[in-house]
Amino acid sequence: MSTLTQAAEAVPDSTDMHISWKEKIGYGCGDAASHIVFDNVMLYMMFFYTDIVGLPAAFVGTMFLLARILDAIADPIMGHLADRTRTRWGQFRPFILIGAIPFALSCIIVYTVPPLDLTGKMIFAAVTYTLLMMMYTFVNIPYCALGGVVTSDDQERMSLQSYRFVLATAGGMLSTVVMVPLANWIGDGDKAAGYQSSIAIFAVLACLMLLICFRSTKERIQTARSNK
């Protein structure tokens, strides 16, 4: 049984299922954090690897494809792990707490230009980009399932998701629009330093948003443990 199916079929406890606007904003901050960094990476990563790091475009494209294939394998594994997790902080929220800082660090590392030869840079890029994808999965899969256990009220769930999508869109637009001017201003001619410093700012902001999401949300529905 999948995580989302469990959440939909779970029986709520006696807790009031009404959600405050503060909790809805806090929940939306989780997806805003992902999009602030991930949309940025998706839009500028190819340019960074080819024009700044100097990697062959064919290698970068192949690396992106292989990372996607690995991600397709990692997603259900992460979902299974979240299904079987039980802590005093809940079932899904602990992954957001634990993954916030590593996710931010992986975003900064992937925008690093190491002092290596071309082969070394290619290996470094493959390892760090794969790490970023894994950290995104670690945070995002439990986050997506979290919305199903915050409340059992259909109207509240719809409102919760509305906040999520609005904040996610705003976060993605903010980083993608500001990234290049900010990198040019900070780098002052040094594109490598400019891009890394800029993503570091967004990564710290994303980390804070994930911590806000963890702190402001509550899992009100207990789900059954999945079968092997």
Side-chain angles (χ1 to χ4, degrees):
M1 183 181 294
S2 70
T3 301
L4 295 178
T5 303
Q6 287 181 29
E9 295 180 353
V11 178
D13 57 21
S14 58
T15 308
D16 184 8
M17 291 294 138
H18 174 72
I19 309 174
S20 68
W21 62 269
K22 292 182 180 180
E23 185 170 359
K24 292 174 183 177
I25 291 177
Y27 175 75
C29 281
D31 213 20
S34 296
H35 281 268
I36 280 177
V37 175
F38 198 72
D39 288 9
N40 189 298
V41 168
M42 291 298 98
L43 186 60
Y44 298 115
M45 203 78 253
M46 174 64 83
F47 166 78
F48 179 80
Y49 279 143
T50 57
D51 289 47
I52 297 179
V53 182
L55 302 183
F59 167 78
V60 177
T62 303
M63 180 181 70
F64 286 172
L65 175 61
L66 294 177
R68 282 299 185 182
I69 294 174
L70 179 61
D71 191 52
I73 299 173
D75 282 0
I77 295 176
M78 189 64 229
H80 178 72
L81 176 62
D83 281 343
R84 300 182 63 81
T85 298
R86 296 294 184 277
T87 73
R88 65 189 180 93
W89 295 295
Q91 183 176 358
F92 306 115
R93 291 168 64 244
F95 293 97
I96 298 174
L97 174 64
I98 296 171
I101 294 178
F103 175 59
L105 290 176
S106 68
C107 297
I108 299 172
I109 293 173
V110 82
Y111 267 103
T112 299
V113 182
L116 304 171
D117 59 14
L118 180 59
T119 301
K121 289 180 179 179
M122 291 168 69
I123 295 173
F124 181 83
V127 172
T128 55
Y129 185 78
T130 300
L131 174 63
L132 173 63
M133 294 297 101
M134 294 299 98
M135 290 312 308
Y136 178 80
T137 296
F138 185 86
V139 170
N140 197 255
I141 295 297
Y143 170 79
C144 291
L146 176 62
V149 297
V150 170
T151 178
S152 62
D153 185 278
D154 291 338
Q155 294 298 321
E156 288 295 316
R157 281 183 175 176
M158 291 177 60
S159 178
L160 189 69
Q161 296 302 324
S162 296
Y163 275 76
R164 169 192 172 184
F165 290 127
V166 169
L167 289 172
T169 302
M173 290 180 62
L174 170 66
S175 67
T176 54
V177 171
V178 174
M179 179 67 171
V180 174
L182 184 61
N184 291 335
W185 178 66
I186 295 176
D188 192 22
D190 187 343
K191 290 186 177 181
Y195 272 78
Q196 186 182 49
S197 299
S198 298
I199 200 65
I201 294 173
F202 292 126
V204 171
L205 180 60
C207 180
L208 293 175
M209 285 185 167
L210 288 173
L211 295 177
I212 290 173
C213 178
F214 168 80
R215 182 65 182 270
S216 60
T217 55
K218 180 179 179 181
E219 297 185 27
R220 296 173 176 81
I221 302 172
Q222 299 296 320
T223 63
R225 225 181 250 276
S226 63
N227 296 327
K228 292 184 179 179

